[in-house]
Amino acid sequence: MQTALGGYQSIKELIHPNGRLFETRQAIQNNVKASKYLDVKLSRGAIYDFIKIKSEVLPELDDQQFALDLLEHKHVLIAPGSSFNVPYRNYFRITHLPRAEVINDVFHRMEELMTSARGRCVMRK
């Protein structure tokens, strides 16, 4: 209660190298870089990223169906990009709040789903 009422509050330890948010952001960057399906321009201060699924690799992708399939089959929750009132349907939003180990597992599950869906219209409404 004291911290909420005026005690020490800082994000500095979280965003410096070896800080939890720094490490999670790095895990997101590393996983996207290693993926043949994904691309991202990392946020500069936000605690989320808006990740692109490459249309040239998965042209039939629908972000809402992808989010639903990811939740139902891989037990991962993401926000479809189109839910942020954008005209394109090949983005999703992911937060930096989970630990880096969790993010690594999440991206592994996403890769499995995208690999299994490649060449099929599974993720199209």
Side-chain angles (χ1 to χ4, degrees):
M1 187 75 158
Q2 177 59 34
T3 300
L5 295 175
Y8 176 75
Q9 298 177 16
S10 176
I11 194 169
K12 289 181 182 178
E13 291 82 15
L14 295 171
I15 61 172
H16 282 283
N18 298 322
R20 190 172 60 78
L21 293 177
F22 179 90
E23 296 297 325
T24 298
R25 185 176 186 271
Q26 193 65 44
I28 291 170
Q29 182 178 15
N30 292 343
N31 280 286
V32 170
K33 191 175 185 178
S35 175
K36 61 184 166 195
Y37 304 106
L38 304 175
D39 195 14
V40 69
K41 183 174 182 182
L42 290 172
S43 62
R44 297 183 64 166
I47 58 169
Y48 59 84
D49 282 306
F50 210 47
I51 298 176
K52 177 183 181 181
I53 302 172
K54 297 176 182 176
S55 297
E56 62 274 13
V57 181
L58 289 171
E60 298 293 321
L61 181 112
D62 176 86
D63 63 344
Q64 291 183 1
Q65 190 62 51
F66 175 66
L68 183 59
D69 288 347
L70 194 57
L71 181 61
E72 288 181 345
H73 301 293
K74 299 295 182 178
H75 311 288
V76 171
L77 179 63
I78 58 168
S82 61
S83 63
F84 295 95
N85 200 26
V86 295
Y88 36 84
R89 302 188 67 94
N90 62 324
Y91 280 79
F92 63 91
R93 192 174 186 179
I94 191 168
T95 181
H96 293 191
L97 295 177
R99 295 199 173 277
E101 307 83 51
V102 173
I103 289 294
N104 289 331
D105 183 49
V106 161
F107 275 90
H108 176 74
R109 294 177 192 199
M110 279 192 273
E111 287 289 317
E112 287 178 342
L113 182 65
M114 290 182 290
T115 298
S116 71
R118 189 170 185 194
R120 294 183 287 143
C121 294
V122 173
M123 294 186 285
R124 185 92 167 143
K125 274 189 173 180

